Amino acid sequence: QVRLAESGGGSVQTGGSLRLSCVAAGYDSSSGFMAWFRQGSGKSREGVALISRSELAIYADSVKGRFTISKDNAKNTLYLSMNYLKPEDTAMYYCAAERAGGGWSQWGINFGYWGQGTQVTVSS
């Protein structure tokens, strides 16, 4: 039984920073790909950042140079450090983990474990 739980969201001014965390219970964070997704109001879900078992990271063009994905396998915890935040970053942010036969594919990876999300709001 796998449960992902995000935290760290909140409200911040343009240019501010936030660090999101995702604790994975019942899942070894070293066993597969993990990622952050987001969905803004009225927008479709988009992949923000991906991290592989070997620590390879891929970022959406919109966040490159501003966001950093990382993980601590000893704690089964995934992180997303966000800097120079913009109003366009306002969205619900979701943590996801690879699962064979998962229902959502991104970067050629199937994701089937999801957290409930944490809200990030960036004001002008």
Side-chain angles (χ1 to χ4, degrees):
Q1 185 172 328
V2 176
R3 185 180 182 89
L4 307 182
E6 304 96 335
S7 63
S11 297
V12 67
Q13 295 278 96
T14 296
S17 300
L18 287 171
R19 190 191 193 205
L20 308 183
S21 298
C22 170
V23 178
Y27 183 86
D28 184 349
S29 63
S30 68
S31 67
F33 288 88
M34 297 189 75
W36 289 97
F37 291 80
R38 68 185 181 186
Q39 185 167 14
S41 180
K43 299 180 180 179
S44 60
R45 173 169 31 177
E46 64 174 330
V48 175
L50 171 76
I51 189 165
S52 72
R53 290 172 292 172
S54 62
E55 308 292 338
L56 172 69
I58 296 175
Y59 299 91
D61 288 342
S62 59
V63 307
K64 267 189 174 181
R66 300 189 298 120
F67 290 12
T68 301
I69 187 170
S70 62
K71 62 179 179 176
D72 185 339
N73 290 330
K75 297 180 179 179
N76 283 335
T77 301
L78 181 73
Y79 303 97
L80 184 68
S81 294
M82 305 182 293
N83 299 310
Y84 306 104
L85 284 161
K86 307 173 181 179
E88 305 94 274
D89 296 317
T90 295
M92 184 72 74
Y93 283 71
Y94 299 92
C95 173
E98 183 182 11
R99 185 183 187 182
W104 187 266
S105 182
Q106 188 79 57
W107 303 288
I109 306 299
N110 292 329
F111 295 93
Y113 299 116
W114 297 85
Q116 297 217 100
T118 185
Q119 179 68 38
V120 171
T121 302
V122 185
S123 63
S124 300

